[in-house]
Amino acid sequence: MAFLVALAFILIGASLVCALYFMMHDRGTTKRMVYSLMARVGLSIGLFLFILFAYWMGWIQSTGIPYSD
């Protein structure tokens, strides 16, 4: 499970770096930056939903770390 989450974070970061590259080199002539940012948002939402689903299925549990009031 930790491997999948780490892989998703790496893909999200790579998408962000690609968007930065396209922003600097395309100068607004193409929509590659927009598509890269859309992919990043989609990956982030997908990761969030996957974590919720994994918790619901019992694949992951909360840590039980107490918080102070």
Side-chain angles (χ1 to χ4, degrees), residues 11-34:
L11 290 174
I12 291 168
S15 177
L16 191 59
V17 169
C18 286
L20 175 65
Y21 176 79
F22 293 145
M23 181 181 72
M24 300 306 272
H25 289 280
D26 288 348
R27 303 280 182 201
T29 58
T30 64
K31 293 190 181 267
R32 293 191 297 178
M33 182 187 77
V34 174

Side-chain angles (χ1 to χ4, degrees), residues 29-43:
T29 58
T30 64
K31 293 190 181 267
R32 293 191 297 178
M33 182 187 77
V34 174
Y35 295 144
S36 182
L37 290 174
M38 284 182 358
R40 184 183 67 91
V41 169
L43 286 169

